[in-house]
Amino acid sequence: EIQLQESGPGLVKPSQSLSLTCSVTGYTITSGYDWSWIRKFPGNKMEWMGYISNSGSTNYNPSLKIRISITRDTSKNQFFLQLNSVTTEDTATYYCARYGTHWGQGVMVTVSS
Amino acid sequence: DVVMTQTPVSLSLAIGQPASISCKSSQSLLGTSGKTFLNWILQRPGQSPKRLIYQVSKLYSEVPDRFSGSGSETEFTLKISRVEAEDLGVYYCWQGTHFPLTFGSGTKLEIK
């Protein structure tokens, strides 16, 4: 059974970078599918941030394109999110997902000084 | 970006009642492949989202058949034939036809 688990700091200061890790078990990320980062803001709004494909190509939401990077470590079966120059508007629960079908538990990230 | 408009914002239903949630997209979700990538997910309180329906009307294997999806082009509906206690939570439609992928604003289902 595929499982995804996010990890990373729950508090980030404004103007710094947010870095999260998604660890995948039960499926090899190079075998198929796109591996996404999605966030849910306070109040229920969901935003797809971007993905890294099984081949390693990336696709980002244009609203984040200059700040976001998604990379991977295939030896550890993990993929990563880096979001630069964060503001309080980036406070959200961050999920990693296999496409939109299997989701991690999510990690709440607060941007605050 | 494709705007996904969900109605109603919330529903309060007794167990056994039917439920219907509408999702409308700002442009057609029929892709060049001939497939329509309109999906539904449910987020129960304190849990991560769970998949329900893909390509408008196809249920994932673990989803009870009291759930059904229908629609085409820009108008879609999720129906629950008889609501059960475990169905409470926030339902989202989301589209995978156009980049960026976009989500509806959610419909909260409460059990009376």
Side-chain angles (χ1 to χ4, degrees):
Chain A
E1 178 190 1
I2 180 174
Q3 292 190 338
L4 299 94
Q5 180 67 58
E6 306 86 352
S7 59
L11 181 64
V12 181
K13 293 187 186 319
S15 80
Q16 293 189 343
S17 293
L18 180 165
S19 296
L20 298 175
T21 297
C22 182
S23 300
V24 181
T25 57
Y27 192 89
T28 302
I29 62 174
T30 56
S31 294
Y33 295 99
D34 300 326
W35 301 87
S36 292
W37 286 99
I38 298 162
R39 60 184 178 176
K40 181 179 177 182
F41 298 101
N44 283 348
K45 178 186 173 184
M46 289 268 204
E47 180 182 60
W48 172 78
M49 302 180 72
Y51 70 68
I52 186 164
S53 73
N54 64 295
S55 65
S57 63
T58 54
N59 197 335
Y60 301 132
N61 192 318
S63 68
L64 299 168
K65 202 163 187 177
I66 61 172
R67 297 199 292 138
I68 190 174
S69 176
I70 299 176
T71 57
R72 66 181 184 175
D73 183 335
T74 57
S75 68
K76 295 182 178 179
N77 214 37
Q78 295 175 326
F79 62 107
F80 312 102
L81 170 70
Q82 181 170 320
L83 186 65
N84 300 322
S85 305
V86 297
T87 72
T88 56
E89 301 293 305
D90 294 309
T91 293
T93 298
Y94 288 75
Y95 296 94
C96 60
R98 188 181 83 174
Y99 190 50
T101 60
H102 294 81
W103 298 60
Q105 283 301 305
V107 58
M108 187 179 299
V109 178
T110 300
V111 179
S112 176
S113 54
Chain B
D1 296 3
V2 176
V3 176
M4 306 293 288
T5 302
Q6 267 183 256
T7 55
V9 172
S10 64
L11 282 173
S12 183
L13 297 170
I15 291 174
Q17 283 190 296
S20 182
I21 300 171
S22 170
C23 176
K24 296 183 179 181
S25 57
S26 60
Q27 56 184 278
S28 174
L29 300 185
L30 177 62
T32 54
S33 63
K35 296 180 180 179
T36 301
F37 296 100
L38 185 282
N39 313 280
W40 293 92
I41 56 175
L42 164 61
Q43 186 166 30
R44 296 185 178 96
Q47 297 186 18
S48 61
K50 298 291 192 287
R51 64 186 191 179
L52 291 177
I53 289 172
Y54 66 104
Q55 290 179 33
V56 181
S57 59
K58 300 178 181 180
L59 268 63
Y60 286 99
S61 58
E62 68 274 15
V63 177
D65 62 6
R66 63 179 181 275
F67 288 89
S68 64
S70 62
S72 63
E73 302 280 358
T74 62
E75 298 194 7
F76 306 93
T77 304
L78 173 70
K79 291 187 177 181
I80 309 173
S81 58
R82 295 174 306 280
V83 167
E84 297 192 6
E86 66 180 16
D87 299 337
L88 86 165
V90 182
Y91 291 80
Y92 295 91
C93 60
W94 67 274
Q95 65 83 21
T97 301
H98 304 285
F99 283 102
L101 311 184
T102 50
F103 292 82
S105 51
T107 296
K108 185 175 184 179
L109 174 59
E110 298 175 327
I111 306 298
K112 285 181 181 176

